[in-house]
Amino acid sequence: MTDVLIAGGTVIHHDATERADVLIRDGRVADIAPSLARPAGAHVIDADGCWVGPGFVDLHTHLREPGREEAETVASGARAAAVGGYSAVVAMPNTEPAIDSAMVAQFVLDRGRDALVEVAVAGAITVGRQGTHLAPIADMAALGVRLFTDDGTGVQDPLILRRALTYARPLGVTLAEHCEDEALAAGGVMNEGHVSSRLGLSGRPALAEELMVMRDIELVRLTGCPMHFLHLSTARSIDLVRKARADGLPVTCEVAPHHLFFDESVCEHYDALFKVHPPLRTRGDVDALQAALRQGDVDAVATDHAPHAPELKDLPFDDAPPGMLGLEHAASITRGVMGDDPIGFFRALSRGPAAIAHLRARDERPRHTAHGGDVAVGEDANLVVFDAADTYRVERHGLQSRAHNTPYDGLELTGRARALVVRGIPRLDQGQLT
Ligand code: DOR
């Protein structure tokens, strides 16, 4: 394995920053010092002016394999992740068939072995994500699956969710909920409010999300099992999580980059690129999510990267599937919110999500390395070099993802990954896949 020297950057520790070079040997960090000599034959990554920190971890990636390979595959999604600066992603289970058994989980894990970044898997909570019968959570946990969710929808029946939480607790795994009460959200295609009324589109009310957050917090209180809240989109949802945490409950939450960036007004042109569940909300919600992220009340930015084939996304707003791409631009959006706070930036994109997804420990999952930890001698070399000042224009046809449904097309964004090292191997350098 070739030595790698990351030279000239600023290392971002969890509580401090340090101007230092980083030497990587045999997949681990071998040395950190202000100025290291270049070992003969080493691959040198120029990190001048850049932040060097743990590779980003995406808790929430739809890789679409098996079943929807026309939109994304494990390999193409992993390429998009590498361009975005991610060293690990968690593949969501709303595939076809769903990842609701050890067999399908193993299939995706096997596909991930050849991918550019590490691929962990989230298993479904219920069989077929139908919400009626518990999936074999213990069988999947035995393979190293640590996160379980029916994402795409939440578990609607509180009795099923109570059973899942009770069952999951001794296994040491975390349940993650897509919070939307489907009865209340039924038929809605965008945020319910005066914008939806004006456009003549039916709404998904904020309360559909908030009611489920309330219900789930109470089920966590009852069972003591940890719960992670996926893509929270309203100010009140975040407040509910804040209060639950103050009560000492084991709850965490994420926000998606699109909810940090766009409000509902972008739906005005009926472009289904902006259709997503939960929907884009009000400007007040966007401001509240941004403030909560800066304050450290949000544990992670997670992409909800949701590739869809053009023939589906080009349908009328009412008929198109919800979801938008995120992996290649989430770090730029996060940079925009966090400003010049690299410690908070790495907390949101790497250290926070890695802890929630149980990716911090090297040995917890078979044949995986540790992510989101310290940049320290002996640690697995999963590192990103991020140029916080790089301004670029998004071009939807220049993406690594198979799909093109990015909401950022044509926009100028600032901050992007210059280089990425996964398990000691450079996967991205000078912004190009190696
Ligand atoms: O908009 C969404 N799309 N929200 C989800 O939760 C699922 C996702 C998808 O899989 O397309």
Side-chain angles (χ1 to χ4, degrees):
M1 217 184 209
T2 312
D3 288 350
V4 180
L5 182 68
I6 302 177
T10 298
V11 174
I12 315 301
H13 299 289
H14 74 275
D15 57 354
T17 65
E18 170 193 18
R19 231 302 296 128
D21 295 349
V22 180
L23 177 67
I24 295 161
R25 180 165 290 158
D26 297 329
R28 303 265 174 98
V29 175
D31 205 353
I32 305 179
S35 181
L36 289 169
R38 172 190 178 164
H43 177 121
V44 178
I45 291 173
D46 171 15
D48 193 33
C50 295
W51 298 340
V52 179
F56 307 142
V57 171
D58 191 26
L59 264 174
H60 194 150
T61 312
H62 296 279
L63 290 176
R64 302 297 190 222
E65 200 176 347
R68 283 283 175 181
E69 291 84 353
E70 74 281 9
E72 199 76 285
T73 62
V74 172
S76 66
R79 282 198 299 276
V83 166
Y86 290 88
S87 57
V89 297
V90 181
M92 286 285 117
N94 60 339
T95 48
E96 295 172 19
I99 307 176
D100 63 357
S101 67
M103 190 182 72
V104 185
Q106 189 62 61
F107 170 85
V108 179
L109 288 170
D110 287 346
R111 279 283 193 273
R113 302 239 185 274
D114 302 325
L116 285 191
V117 307
E118 280 198 14
V119 177
V121 162
I125 296 172
T126 65
V127 174
R129 300 175 41 257
Q130 294 299 305
T132 52
H133 296 85
L134 288 191
I137 293 174
D139 290 359
M140 291 187 269
L143 294 176
V145 178
R146 293 289 175 268
L147 204 64
F148 291 86
T149 178
D150 277 1
D151 181 56
T153 49
V155 178
Q156 302 294 310
D157 181 337
L159 176 59
I160 297 290
L161 189 64
R162 178 188 180 176
R163 284 191 186 137
L165 285 160
T166 307
Y167 188 70
R169 191 176 170 200
L171 297 173
V173 300
T174 301
L175 299 193
E177 270 274 73
H178 172 133
C179 287
E180 283 190 293
D181 182 314
E182 287 303 324
L184 204 51
V189 294
M190 69 168 291
N191 185 44
E192 180 182 283
H194 64 269
V195 181
S196 65
S197 301
R198 186 156 47 78
L199 296 178
L201 293 172
S202 49
R204 302 174 83 79
L207 189 61
E209 173 176 314
E210 294 154 359
L211 266 185
M212 201 143 156
V213 174
M214 289 175 205
R215 182 201 75 173
D216 287 3
I217 285 171
E218 292 314 312
L219 289 171
V220 170
R221 203 187 302 277
L222 183 72
T223 60
C225 183
M227 162 117 25
H228 176 65
F229 291 103
L230 302 165
H231 45 42
L232 293 186
S233 66
T234 81
R236 193 167 172 206
S237 291
I238 301 284
D239 272 342
L240 289 163
V241 171
R242 273 194 193 106
K243 288 194 186 104
R245 230 190 303 238
D247 286 352
L249 298 181
V251 290
T252 53
C253 69
E254 69 183 37
V255 295
H258 43 267
H259 290 128
L260 288 167
F261 193 78
F262 297 108
D263 66 35
E264 59 187 346
S265 65
V266 291
C267 299
E268 269 181 354
H269 304 292
Y270 299 92
D271 186 343
L273 259 185
F274 298 104
K275 180 174 176 182
V276 65
H277 291 173
L280 302 173
R281 302 287 188 188
T282 66
R283 180 44 50 183
D285 290 311
V286 174
D287 292 344
L289 297 189
Q290 291 193 2
L293 183 65
R294 282 191 285 264
Q295 285 156 15
D297 288 342
V298 168
D299 302 276
V301 171
T303 67
D304 194 11
H305 178 84
H308 289 289
E311 61 272 23
L312 293 180
K313 236 8 203 175
D314 287 348
L315 290 170
F317 208 97
D318 277 341
D319 304 327
M324 45 182 77
L325 300 183
L327 281 171
E328 299 184 51
H329 306 112
S332 310
I333 304 303
T334 308
R335 155 82 174 113
V337 176
M338 300 307 287
D340 291 320
D341 173 11
I343 292 176
F345 173 84
F346 278 97
R347 184 180 63 231
L349 281 172
S350 180
R351 297 189 165 106
I356 295 161
H358 302 249
L359 301 187
R360 292 278 284 264
R362 183 179 294 151
D363 302 325
E364 198 177 0
R365 296 158 312 121
R367 295 164 67 186
H368 279 72
T369 53
H371 297 261
D374 256 350
V375 184
V377 172
E379 292 291 325
D380 290 324
N382 294 312
L383 299 171
V384 67
V385 176
F386 186 77
D387 184 346
D390 185 0
T391 296
Y392 65 102
R393 190 173 294 280
V394 177
E395 214 285 277
R396 67 196 296 232
H397 292 292
L399 303 176
Q400 289 297 328
S401 180
R402 265 196 187 179
H404 307 299
N405 56 310
T406 173
Y408 308 108
D409 187 39
L411 296 181
E412 206 165 78
L413 301 178
T414 296
R416 66 171 155 176
R418 182 187 288 183
L420 175 76
V421 176
V422 182
R423 294 173 166 144
I425 300 172
R427 295 301 194 186
L428 183 79
D429 198 4
Q430 301 296 335
Q432 303 295 319
L433 296 177
T434 56

